[in-house]
Structures are given as C-alpha cells and as structure tokens.
Amino acid sequence: MVKTRVMYGPPSVEKALGSLPMIADFCGRLGIAGVVDGLWPIREVARVSHGQVVEALIANRLTSPASVVRLENWARCWAVPEVLGIEPDALNDYRVGRLLLVLIRWSRVIRRS
C-alpha cells in the first residue's frame, strides 16, 4: 500500500468587506485622519493615531452600527486590517476610550469659546 501525503494550503479566512473600501477612500479624500491628528497629536510610540481610530469608528457606524464597546471584535470580522491598515487589537476598548476622553475635553473648550 502506497501512502500519499497531501499538502494543504493555508486556512482560508472569510471577512466582511461591504462598503469598507468606499468608506476608506472617502475618509482619505476628506483627510479626516490628517485633520484629527493635526488637532490632537499623539506620542510616536502609539500603534494607531487618533485620526485612524476616528476613521475606524466612522467605518463601524456606517457598516455595522452597534455599541462602540468591543470595536476590536467588529474589526476582526470585517476586513479592517486589509482596508484601513489597523490591526483589530489596536482598537481595544481602552484605546477607543482614550479618544473619547480627548473629544470630551475638546468639546468643553469649543463650548467655552
């Protein structure tokens, strides 16, 4: 009896694509990340900028509106790394919370002026 060894390719991963490419293109044309990062720069050691998180939040709201909690789970199911260039674990609750704190502080400054 002859044994045959079968070689399999890497496992396939299915992710939702939906309108992510169009949203990413539109955010890029508007320069959303650049504007946000110009207003609120971050440390150079950060994995993602505030602008990137804002674009991910916009994409999340337009593709799968739900609670902002556990945004990284959404990013794992959608083609976020491939389209937006953001690893899902970089969109953890702590990172999104830091952005929201910045937005809250900034909104107070705007209201005072």
Side-chain angles (χ1 to χ4, degrees), residues 15-90:
K15 294 182 179 183
L17 185 61
S19 57
L20 271 180
M22 184 178 69
I23 295 167
D25 180 62
F26 192 65
C27 287
R29 286 187 200 186
L30 292 175
I32 293 173
V35 170
V36 171
D37 293 339
L39 291 170
W40 306 298
I42 58 168
R43 297 179 304 158
E44 291 183 19
V45 296
R47 292 177 58 197
V48 292
S49 70
H50 290 316
Q52 289 175 296
V53 177
V54 167
E55 287 186 353
L57 285 171
I58 291 169
N60 171 258
R61 303 313 303 162
L62 293 174
T63 59
S64 182
S67 173
V68 178
V69 178
R70 295 184 185 88
L71 189 66
E72 66 183 300
N73 290 345
W74 165 79
R76 285 187 209 299
C77 297
W78 286 75
V80 172
E82 295 82 2
V83 176
L84 298 177
I86 304 171
E87 290 303 317
D89 61 337

Side-chain angles (χ1 to χ4, degrees), residues 84-106:
L84 298 177
I86 304 171
E87 290 303 317
D89 61 337
L91 295 172
N92 59 48
D93 290 343
Y94 178 72
R95 180 63 186 93
V96 174
R98 284 196 342 250
L99 170 70
L100 294 177
L101 286 174
V102 168
L103 294 175
I104 288 168
R105 288 186 198 126
W106 187 256

